[in-house]
Structures are given as structure tokens and as C-alpha cells.
Amino acid sequence: SQQGEEDPQALSIQEGENATMNCSYKTSINNLQWYRQNSGRGLVHLILIRSNEREKHSGRLRVTLDTSKKSSSLLITASRAADTASYFCATEEEYGNKLVFGAGTILRVKS
Amino acid sequence: DAGVIQSPRHEVTEMGQEVTLRCKPISGHNSLFWYRQTMMRGLELLIYFNNNVPIDDSGMPEDRFSAKMPNASFSTLKIQPSEPRDSAVYFCASSLVGGGIDEQFFGPGTRLTVL
């Protein structure tokens, strides 16, 4: 079963714009992770945020976590055509010791 | 390090045949995960191993699926007999798990087509 649900399902923006993707989940978690998948490839880890953290940055990526609302957002600033990919959130449930992935957001950055 | 290695990259077989997918995790990682990805169901965890021992196989769809990890550097996922609905991309991932699940490293996947 899927724990995380991403929103929107698809997003199309112009190069240079910011892209925001959201993830909601249902149970208590230890951490939440974001992954990117380019077409025909495996998933690549982007960033991890722990349940006691509220915000984290990595390069052009900014992730927030609101455990009271059970939601997270991934912001990609100054997007590039190379950011075109599917983005997945994954949660490690508090008592699960495994990752559960959402359905993903398809991001298209037009040059 | 070469990353997680999967073979074959593509497999086309006929219904009823046995299929074996192979995975070599990253050296030093102690956990290995098998996932299946389809358009309809997204990315599903099938089974995961910790220190070569199967920990959770609740995602394995049915008895036709089996997975083994005979040593720390090799795992197989077998489907016998295969059915058209097994067509999917199968990913193997590995991780170094301490107190929890951190970053997982994914292989390139095996695209399975069952005719």
C-alpha cells in the first residue's frame, strides 16, 4: 500500500521557474525521503529529512516537513531542463523499518 | 564503486516460463530490497533482507515469487511460472542500515515482459 501521496500528479513549468511538489502521508514516521527517477532509470536519492527536523536544504532543493499535518514539500529553485523527471516521496514508518513510496509527481521543465 | 548491478536489463519470456532476476548490492551494504514498478500500482516493495536474512516478504504477490540472498554480494528474485501480469520493471536497491532506513541506492532495473 502507498503511504505517501504526491500532489500534483504532473507539473509543467518553464526553465528558471520554481517547482513545488507536495507529499502527504498517513502514519507516524521516522524520516521522509525524496527520490528522482529519470525515464528508464532507477531512483536516485535526493534528500532525507528526519521527523524532528522542519526544513532542510541541498543545493537548489528545499524540503519542509510538517508532522502535525503529515505533509512535506519539495521545492526546486531555478529549474533546468535536466530536472525533468519523476519525483517520489518515501516514508520510513515509525515501526516499519522499511520505505513506502508514493505515486510520484512527473515534472517537465521546458527550455 | 559500480553501484547496484542488476541482470539482465531486459527479459522477454513466454507465459509459464521461469524467470530469474539477479542483483549485486553495493559492497558493505547490509540491506537489500526488491521492488516492482508498474504504471497501475507504482513502486511496490516485494521483499527486503537484512544481513542476508529475509525480514519482510509481505509484498511478495504470491507463491510463484521467491527470493534468496545466499551471501552478502548476491540476491535472486525468481518467478515460476511467470504470467503476463508479472510484466513490470523490477528494481533492486541496497542500503547501509543502522538505527533506521537511510538512503537507498537503486540499480538500473530489469524490464520484464511476459508474453
Side-chain angles (χ1 to χ4, degrees), chain A residues 10-75:
Chain A
L11 181 61
S12 183
I13 59 174
Q14 290 292 135
E15 203 166 27
E17 294 180 339
N18 295 342
T20 299
M21 288 160 270
N22 303 297
C23 170
S24 60
Y25 57 93
K26 298 173 184 173
T27 64
S28 297
I29 62 172
N30 288 329
N31 68 61
L32 185 144
Q33 305 179 30
W34 286 90
Y35 287 78
R36 184 188 73 225
Q37 184 179 32
N38 290 86
S39 180
R41 303 286 187 93
L43 281 72
V44 175
H45 182 267
L46 294 176
I47 195 166
L48 179 154
I49 187 165
R50 301 196 185 277
S51 60
N52 60 354
E53 297 175 309
R54 292 297 167 257
E55 187 171 315
K56 205 162 184 179
H57 297 254
S58 176
R60 293 185 295 113
L61 306 180
R62 172 178 169 253
V63 170
T64 61
L65 179 65
D66 187 335
T67 53
S68 67
K69 295 181 180 178
K70 291 186 169 56
S71 66
S72 172
S73 66
L74 171 67
L75 169 67

Side-chain angles (χ1 to χ4, degrees), chain B residues 2-109:
Chain B
V4 176
I5 298 172
Q6 290 187 247
S7 65
R9 294 293 309 277
H10 302 273
E11 176 81 30
V12 180
T13 190
E14 292 189 345
M15 183 173 61
Q17 296 297 306
E18 177 180 298
V19 174
T20 300
L21 311 181
R22 298 173 176 80
C23 175
K24 177 178 168 54
I26 291 173
S27 177
H29 282 185
N30 60 2
S31 292
L32 183 140
F33 307 82
W34 282 101
Y35 292 91
R36 177 173 67 177
Q37 186 177 37
T38 61
M39 289 293 293
M40 291 296 294
R41 300 176 66 89
L43 194 65
E44 304 173 278
L45 177 66
L46 301 177
I47 185 171
Y48 81 91
F49 296 84
N50 184 257
N51 293 321
N52 313 337
V53 176
I55 302 299
D56 185 344
D57 65 355
S58 60
M60 296 284 263
E62 46 198 276
D63 291 346
R64 297 184 298 106
F65 286 69
S66 63
K68 294 181 179 179
M69 191 164 187
N71 56 62
S73 59
F74 183 66
S75 176
T76 60
L77 178 68
K78 185 177 292 186
I79 308 172
Q80 166 63 19
S82 58
E83 297 182 2
R85 60 191 167 125
D86 302 330
S87 297
V89 181
Y90 291 81
F91 289 103
C92 174
S94 71
S95 178
L96 181 60
V97 176
I101 301 286
D102 283 340
E103 176 180 359
Q104 291 189 10
F105 294 80
F106 281 73

